[in-house]
Amino acid sequence: MKTSVTSIFEIDIPIVQGGLAHLAFAGLCAAVSNAGGLGQISAVTIPGGSEALRDEIRAVRALTDRPFAVNFAISTRRDIMDLVETALAEDVRIMSFTAGNPEPFLKRLEGTGVKTLILVAGVRQAQKVEELGGSAVIAVGYDGGGHLGRDDIGTMVLVPRILESVSIPVLASGGIGNGRGLAAALAMGASGVEMGTRFVATAECIAHDNYKQALVAAREIDTRIIERSLGTPGRVLHGPIGDLIIQREAAGDRDEVIRLISGKVNQRGAINGALDEGWVWSGQVAGLIHDVPTVKELIDRMVGEAEDLIRNASAAFTH
Ligand SMILES: Cc1cc2nc3c(=O)[nH]c(=O)nc-3n(C[C@H](O)[C@H](O)[C@H](O)COP(=O)(O)O)c2cc1C
């Protein structure tokens, strides 16, 4: 396949694995990159700070010689510039940023040749990234798993709005999990897709099998939005702890909400598999997840499906 995203990031298939907090380590990242997509590790949730990030980057390089990226979740609670410096020192060539103002990081990376991907959920944000010299934006719609924008714009409207507002490449994200999603994104004019939830339910992801099987069992109606009261909405799989968070939000119990949304409570579900004791992120795309394939099976299948669909769809235009 060839799109502006495959050219810029020097990959074969325009499928990017989302930065998956607590789940995106070398094994998954390398599997995605080896299958022709762009794998990522998530810098902020690798336990152990800069040294651990350096080791994880080296672990990726031991598993693949293909391009990969390091994902940075920007936080107001922690300065992450040290982690960006570590990635730079390790000669990481692609970095992605989410959940905050990317300006200081894009400024720091100016002139380094590092390619960047910035997650956005609105037109203004995307235009700002273009002004700041970002290489591409990932437009994340309301359907998606994990943290979302505040304006609740679905992928099907957000992606075309961003496409008509910027000239840098746009990847579609939120609700994509199969060849139909990939075909739709390309047909809209996006240069590729980024997927989070779908990659959780793959053999190489370290997520607990209970989490993967819950995604397989879930319908598209089985997600809820938490953290709305904090101004940082995020989509989780429906479950008792998610419900408790929403209830505590309605009661105005901010301290308890902050305690419950911690990474520790997330990991109880995502890593330990205790879905009654911890919450897990999931997009509406869970309704489209029916199995737990290897990353290569998933990517090959998506490309094959998308090719057939686009070929069939274009037949509609022949007379
Ligand atoms: C388990 C999980 C963890 C996530 N953690 C991050 C993260 O650390 N950094 C990031 O950029 N995006 C993160 N995201 C968002 C994804 O990158 C992606 O934008 C989103 O999952 C797209 O929607 P989808 O789940 O429908 O594919 C996460 C998503 C999930 C499901």
Side-chain angles (χ1 to χ4, degrees), residues 18-21 23 42 71 98 119 140 143-146 173-176 194-197 200 211 281 283 285:
L20 301 175
L23 299 173
S42 293
N71 173 257
T98 188
L119 282 84
V140 187
D143 334 26
S173 171
I176 295 163
E194 187 240 32
M195 307 192 296
T197 307
V200 175
Y211 182 7
W281 297 121
V285 74

